[in-house]
Amino acid sequence: QLYFQPASVAVTRDQMVEVRAVTVFSQCTTAKSEMVFQWAQVSGPTTIPAQYLGTIAQLRIPAGTLRADATYVVALTVSMSDDVSKQSSSQMVISVGSLPLIARITGSVTRKQSTRSALALDASVSRDPDVDAAAEQGLAFVWACSLSDGTSSQACRDTSGALLVLSAASTLQVPAGTLPATTDAAYQFTVTVSKVGKSPAAYTLSLTL
């Protein structure tokens, strides 16, 4: 008899898959020869590298190997070294879930600078953890700005009183002298990242001028 520990696997892409196979001999078996193990992939949206489908009782697939939001099926065949016709096979389902988007702006979450300095905010470090860090993340960016004193807030305006125009890119540039100096209030710059099929994520930075 062949079974797995754990019996089923549900992971996210940032987790390693670890499974151990357990074999139980029949009580009527008198001789127990060496067992031969062989893992194989049955199905899945991507190919599991052969080096992870070994010939031992344990299956270990490193984090980042499997595709997110997908299902893989692997099989293990165990045979007796002195008689390969005596074998047992079993399959296991590996479910890979999806991780939420991560929104970030480089630098400190609170800042203070002069109105004579240009403001540069960079949210390009935001990412989809279900995608390789070096790959195109496929994110959309929306920036928002409000002036908050802790009890109330209003949309940001430039020194002429016009609403602040914000970009829809991963970076935001505000020229020097655009924003009026603040006293008891702070500017709250928020970037929201989104992607089809996922819930948006937001990150806010507080700025005092």
Side-chain angles (χ1 to χ4, degrees):
Q1 183 183 2
L2 172 64
Y3 65 94
F4 299 111
Q5 290 182 338
S8 61
V9 175
V11 296
T12 49
R13 197 167 183 270
D14 60 341
Q15 296 175 314
M16 172 180 283
V17 174
E18 291 188 272
V19 179
R20 186 169 65 91
V22 177
T23 56
V24 179
F25 288 95
S26 170
Q27 292 183 354
C28 63
T29 303
T30 56
K32 299 181 180 65
S33 63
E34 183 179 350
M35 291 180 292
V36 178
F37 298 88
Q38 182 58 64
W39 291 91
Q41 180 177 356
V42 177
S43 64
T46 58
T47 301
I48 301 174
Q51 65 263 34
Y52 305 138
L53 301 172
T55 56
I56 59 175
Q58 188 175 37
L59 174 69
R60 302 181 79 230
I61 303 175
T65 302
L66 304 181
R67 180 181 294 177
D69 199 22
T71 299
Y72 293 78
V73 178
V74 294
L76 176 64
T77 299
V78 182
S79 59
M80 310 304 290
S81 60
D82 60 352
D83 186 353
V84 294
S85 66
K86 296 178 179 178
Q87 61 178 233
S88 178
S89 296
S90 186
Q91 295 185 357
M92 163 173 278
V93 175
I94 302 172
S95 301
V96 187
S98 181
L99 291 165
L101 298 177
I102 299 173
R104 289 288 185 274
I105 300 173
T106 56
S108 174
V109 70
T110 58
R111 299 185 192 179
K112 186 175 182 179
Q113 70 177 58
S114 169
T115 57
R116 295 189 296 272
S117 299
L119 175 65
L121 301 179
D122 183 2
S124 63
V125 291
S126 302
R127 61 182 299 256
D128 178 357
D130 289 333
V131 177
D132 289 336
E136 172 59 44
Q137 300 295 296
L139 301 176
F141 296 83
V142 174
W143 290 89
C145 178
S146 63
L147 189 61
S148 173
D149 60 5
T151 57
S152 62
S153 64
Q154 56 185 336
C156 296
R157 296 179 180 274
D158 62 22
T159 51
S160 70
L163 288 173
L164 184 66
V165 178
L166 303 171
S167 71
S170 61
T171 58
L172 176 65
Q173 304 286 334
V174 180
T178 299
L179 293 171
T182 58
T183 52
D184 298 331
Y187 291 102
Q188 305 292 321
F189 283 90
T190 299
V191 63
T192 300
V193 297
S194 60
K195 187 175 184 177
V196 175
K198 290 203 166 189
S199 298
Y203 185 90
T204 299
L205 176 149
S206 181
L207 174 71
T208 301
L209 294 177

